[in-house]
Amino acid sequence: MMIFRNDKDAPQPSPEQLQEMLKDWDNWLGGIAAQGRLVSSDALGFQGKTFDSKGVVSDGPYAEVKEIVGGYTMVKAKDFDEAVTLSKGCPMFDVGGTVEVRDIMVFE
């Protein structure tokens, strides 16, 4: 799984820049899909809630966090190194963001 993070205070793109960014994402994800490696991918909304063990509900995203999780992509890879290689060229890097690559543990 790839988790996309960006600085919450990053400048907002213009409509034209946003269209170009969406093309870049489509091209990057299309390349992964063409290899038969794409499982799913979605952007995350801006609303959320967190529930803690004491039953406290907090609204989010939170002012105290520096980064926001903007979305995720799940890929099929033969190993962790291949998943990292698939993350190269991600458009998130073009806006100063990061990609966190994580394995998914499957319990039977």
Side-chain angles (χ1 to χ4, degrees), residues 1-2 75 77-88 101:
M1 172 181 257
M2 298 175 197
V75 298
K78 65 182 175 190
D79 56 30
F80 193 79
D81 290 334
E82 182 180 50
V84 169
T85 298
L86 289 171
S87 75
K88 292 181 180 174
V101 179

Side-chain angles (χ1 to χ4, degrees), residues 49-81:
K49 294 194 179 288
T50 298
F51 303 87
D52 72 13
S53 62
K54 297 174 186 152
V56 176
V57 179
S58 302
D59 289 331
Y62 313 104
E64 66 271 10
V65 296
K66 183 172 173 20
E67 292 182 320
I68 57 172
V69 176
Y72 71 92
T73 294
M74 293 179 59
V75 298
K76 292 184 272 185
K78 65 182 175 190
D79 56 30
F80 193 79
D81 290 334

Side-chain angles (χ1 to χ4, degrees), residues 13-73:
S14 70
E16 296 79 18
Q17 290 170 320
L18 184 57
Q19 288 302 312
E20 193 62 35
M21 290 168 61
L22 291 174
K23 285 181 196 174
D24 292 343
W25 278 95
D26 285 344
N27 290 335
W28 179 69
L29 288 170
I32 293 172
Q35 298 174 54
R37 300 282 187 214
L38 184 64
V39 174
S40 66
S41 185
D42 279 304
L44 299 178
F46 296 105
Q47 295 184 26
K49 294 194 179 288
T50 298
F51 303 87
D52 72 13
S53 62
K54 297 174 186 152
V56 176
V57 179
S58 302
D59 289 331
Y62 313 104
E64 66 271 10
V65 296
K66 183 172 173 20
E67 292 182 320
I68 57 172
V69 176
Y72 71 92
T73 294

Side-chain angles (χ1 to χ4, degrees), residues 5-7 10-11 13 17 21 25 90-98:
R5 298 178 191 272
N6 200 7
D7 187 326
Q17 290 170 320
M21 290 168 61
W25 278 95
C90 177
M92 183 56 68
F93 301 130
D94 297 338
V95 294
T98 63

